[in-house]
Amino acid sequence: MSSQNVRVRFAPSPTGGLHLGGVRTALFNYLFAKKHHGSFVLRIEDTDQTRFVPGAEQYIIDCLNWCGIAPDEDPHRPGNYGPYRQSERKEMYRAYAEQLVEKGYAYYAFDTPEELEKMREQFKSEKNPSPQYNHETRLKMSNSLSLSKEEVEKKLSTNQAFVIRIKMPEHGEIHLHDMIRGDVSFQANLVDDKVLLKADGMPTYHLAVVVDDHSMEITHAFRGEEWLPSAPVHVLLWEYFGWKEKMPKWAHFPLILKPDGQGKLSKRDGDRLGFPVFAMDWLDPKSGEMTKGFKEMGFLPNAFINMLALLGWNDGTGKEIFTKEELIQQFTIERIHKGGAKFDFEKAKWYNQEWIKSSDNELLLPLIKNILHNNGIDADSKILNKVIPITKERCHLLNDFVAQLKYFFIDPTEIDVDAVKPKWDENKSSFFHTLIQEMNNIPNWTAEEVEKCFKETATKLQFKPGDVQLPFRIMLVGGKFGPAVFEISSIIGKNSTIRRIQQGIDLFNK
Ligand code: GLU
């Protein structure tokens, strides 16, 4: 394969939020393209105008940008193969469909929706509960195979509505080589005569995908497993158009499954189990419904694509953490599994935690500052620089930083009184009063000085430091968490420390 020429495409329909299965398809295409120094093309498949959703195209582009897998060619940055929206390529499809009619590989069909319904009723039997438009029924229907030439011409010249259907062979098998599955064969007579051109003059997906992959010089067509049943139609079309040598190499990616492995992961599973299924927040313009995305849940894009790549692929060594560059280096289509990959949100969070731990402040600081801002906290960058490294071990999601960090900037509002109250008494109360007086005398407010003062006061009043350290932490932080308590005290400063101790005494004495 000449690496220079690799051209792959991600071809979503702009119908709503971008499911993580879709992002993974885009990612695998991207990795393959980059590995072979080729081009990654985004083609918007918007021929089904009834399913078109405004804003969905821009949303898809935003998601790819956030993931760091921006296309090389798309509707906004066209290359030499435009247009990149199928709706703008409308004119060219009709001629291709008619070319197939002329060659005898396709035919005009004039059946009305009522006639199609009648056919389904008429030919329904126990053996065949849902009869199709195919070699068994086509000659009993109203089309250019069953009608005389004159009748057909009359219908066409009086502008009677028609569709163009492919004429599937009655015998034989259709073979395709899938880079993941090997040879896959289909019995031709089991596939129905799919519509290629609709009554509104728009192509169906089947016609458009082949014409476009050909005219955009796509070398590899990689897509989800749900498209495998359509593949025989596409292979035949490549052949019927006489383009067989240029047919792209195929691969159909395994499904992403529900956590219990029972079927394809859907948006509803995410709603039910409380995790995101879309890459980014999606606001449905029709229903006004907002669906949460991985980005807004607090995932780092590198963690998200790392996790996605490992859903159905690995490099064979057991390694799990990959940078994008490492993925590009190591990725091969052949190592993608055939079977579905179960989605595990806990594992997804583990990836994110690993990425948070290994990311430097420079990357994390602006993201965390923004999240804190959205939670009403305007955090000072100098303090953030100190506290991010000492809290990040505890964060699975960027949003976890809110709970882990907010007490550095504001007094805790929720205090775990129950953790202190049972062991609280007069003596402890006076210990903390004394501590305030002693702390007032600390000239240099450092973690070491605070610790020294705390321990000396404890010894003087015959306390084991361990017995008074928990109440101290809860006064400063609100709960039993956070980094070393003297470190926290040194960062929030003398005034805040003393104020929080006083508030704590008042609360626990109540
Ligand atoms: N338009 C199809 C989709 O929405 C693309 C399938 C393909 O890549 O051939 O996924």
Side-chain angles (χ1 to χ4, degrees):
M1 167 175 46
S2 129
S3 278
Q4 257 64 26
N5 299 332
V6 162
R7 290 179 57 77
V8 296
R9 85 296 192 278
F10 175 49
S13 297
T15 53
L18 188 55
H19 185 281
L20 78 172
V23 191
R24 193 194 56 177
T25 297
L27 173 65
F28 285 171
N29 272 287
Y30 172 92
L31 296 176
F32 185 83
K34 296 298 144 185
K35 176 160 186 152
H36 296 285
H37 310 288
S39 302
F40 171 49
V41 176
L42 173 69
R43 183 174 68 224
I44 299 293
E45 303 216 321
D46 57 351
T47 54
D48 189 350
Q49 295 290 311
T50 57
R51 294 178 64 221
F52 177 80
V53 176
E57 175 187 311
Q58 188 55 47
Y59 167 86
I60 290 168
I61 295 176
D62 292 344
C63 288
L64 299 182
N65 283 337
W66 174 66
C67 290
I69 55 172
D72 299 302
E73 300 168 23
D74 69 26
H76 303 289
R77 272 173 309 178
N80 299 325
Y81 299 86
Y84 289 79
R85 287 186 197 98
Q86 283 183 333
S87 56
E88 292 166 15
R89 305 170 71 87
K90 182 177 169 186
E91 297 317 317
M92 70 176 82
Y93 300 113
R94 188 186 181 117
Y96 280 112
E98 279 172 347
Q99 190 183 319
L100 293 182
V101 177
E102 261 159 54
K103 291 188 185 169
Y105 294 130
Y107 57 91
Y108 295 109
F110 303 100
D111 317 88
T112 61
E114 294 74 36
E115 283 166 335
L116 290 172
E117 193 41 48
K118 215 170 111 204
M119 178 270 275
R120 284 187 202 110
E121 278 307 310
Q122 198 179 344
F123 298 116
K124 198 152 106 184
S125 68
E126 223 164 85
K127 230 178 81 205
N128 188 4
S130 48
Q132 294 186 311
Y133 209 116
N134 61 11
H135 62 100
E136 282 176 353
T137 52
R138 64 167 82 106
L139 288 179
K140 299 170 186 132
M141 303 300 293
S142 172
N143 56 50
S144 57
L145 301 175
S146 62
L147 303 172
S148 71
K149 211 168 165 223
E150 293 70 40
E151 282 172 304
V152 172
E153 259 154 32
K154 192 165 160 224
K155 282 185 186 293
L156 290 177
S157 63
T158 54
N159 287 334
Q160 188 160 336
F162 67 85
V163 300
I164 293 181
R165 287 180 181 269
I166 187 170
K167 187 177 165 206
M168 290 298 290
E170 280 167 51
H171 306 285
E173 286 188 337
I174 302 162
H175 292 267
L176 78 87
H177 181 81
D178 183 287
M179 291 170 73
I180 301 169
R181 286 149 216 276
D183 281 311
V184 188
S185 60
F186 303 85
Q187 234 177 292
N189 65 0
L190 295 182
V191 184
D192 62 324
D193 290 354
K194 298 256 182 276
V195 172
L196 301 178
L197 194 79
K198 294 183 279 189
D200 62 2
M202 276 292 212
T204 58
Y205 158 67
H206 304 294
L207 176 65
V209 76
V210 172
V211 169
D212 290 344
D213 283 350
H214 177 257
S215 58
M216 294 175 132
E217 296 184 19
I218 297 302
T219 55
H220 297 76
F222 300 149
R223 56 192 180 183
E225 182 183 322
E226 62 273 32
W227 301 104
L228 194 55
S230 309
V233 179
H234 304 162
V235 171
L236 269 190
L237 287 174
W238 279 93
E239 203 175 295
Y240 289 167
F241 281 123
W243 300 333
K244 196 81 193 257
E245 333 71 77
K246 298 226 182 106
M247 186 168 79
K249 302 214 166 31
W250 302 98
H252 293 85
F253 302 142
L255 297 177
I256 297 181
L257 304 175
K258 296 180 202 295
D260 62 7
Q262 304 296 311
K264 186 175 164 181
L265 180 75
S266 72
K267 183 177 108 49
R268 256 175 293 122
D269 299 315
D271 297 343
R272 185 169 57 87
L273 300 167
F275 56 73
V277 166
F278 291 162
M280 286 168 54
D281 275 4
W282 166 250
L283 178 65
D284 188 305
K286 278 191 208 127
S287 65
E289 187 199 353
M290 171 68 113
T291 308
K292 265 253 162 280
F294 279 86
K295 177 183 178 210
E296 291 77 4
M297 266 250 169
F299 273 77
L300 288 169
N302 281 337
F304 181 56
I305 61 169
N306 183 172
M307 176 277 291
L308 272 184
L310 274 281
L311 268 179
W313 174 87
N314 62 57
D315 73 348
T317 68
K319 177 174 154 99
E320 292 187 287
I321 300 295
F322 290 86
T323 63
K324 191 171 81 177
E325 284 63 37
E326 287 171 330
L327 287 172
I328 293 171
Q329 288 282 320
Q330 301 305 323
F331 183 73
T332 59
I333 295 287
E334 289 77 7
R335 282 206 60 84
I336 296 175
H337 315 157
K338 290 194 193 77
K342 278 190 222 166
F343 177 68
D344 176 352
F345 189 53
E346 291 309 311
K347 185 77 194 198
K349 287 200 300 193
W350 174 83
Y351 278 104
N352 204 48
Q353 185 187 28
E354 291 301 307
W355 272 92
I356 288 176
K357 282 198 279 189
S358 63
S359 297
D360 19 290
N361 272 10
E362 219 169 285
L363 182 122
L364 295 174
L365 193 138
L367 300 172
I368 294 170
K369 202 173 163 114
N370 191 34
I371 292 176
L372 288 171
H373 176 79
N374 294 340
N375 280 274
I377 301 164
D378 278 314
D380 177 67
S381 297
K382 266 214 226 96
I383 297 186
L384 274 181
N385 256 324
K386 276 197 218 161
V387 296
I388 291 172
I390 57 177
T391 50
K392 64 183 184 181
E393 291 267 337
R394 295 176 180 82
C395 297
H396 286 88
L397 300 171
L398 289 175
N399 298 5
D400 294 343
F401 277 102
V402 176
Q404 291 297 335
L405 292 185
K406 71 174 176 195
Y407 59 84
F408 284 107
F409 305 98
I410 52 171
D411 290 356
T413 43
E414 279 166 40
I415 309 240
D416 186 357
V417 180
D418 294 344
V420 177
K421 200 76 186 179
K423 290 189 178 165
W424 184 259
D425 57 19
E426 273 293 301
N427 291 341
K428 279 194 185 158
S429 176
S430 65
F431 164 79
F432 280 100
H433 278 300
T434 314
L435 181 65
I436 292 178
Q437 285 160 20
E438 299 295 334
M439 280 180 162
N440 269 320
N441 299 327
I442 299 181
N444 243 340
W445 193 259
T446 63
E448 294 72 34
E449 288 297 321
V450 177
E451 180 168 4
K452 197 166 141 242
C453 167
F454 188 91
K455 290 193 170 156
E456 280 174 9
T457 312
T459 315
K460 204 165 76 190
L461 300 187
Q462 294 178 333
F463 273 105
K464 278 193 239 135
D467 290 342
V468 271
Q469 212 159 304
L470 178 72
F472 184 41
R473 170 178 294 281
I474 292 184
M475 287 167 175
L476 299 192
V477 173
K480 292 188 211 162
F481 60 93
V485 70
F486 304 112
E487 183 84 21
I488 297 173
S489 173
S490 82
I491 293 170
I492 63 175
K494 189 189 241 178
N495 290 344
S496 295
T497 302
I498 290 178
R499 188 177 60 243
R500 291 183 197 186
I501 296 175
Q502 188 58 58
Q503 280 166 3
I505 298 173
D506 297 345
L507 189 66
F508 302 143
N509 277 343
K510 261 192 207 156

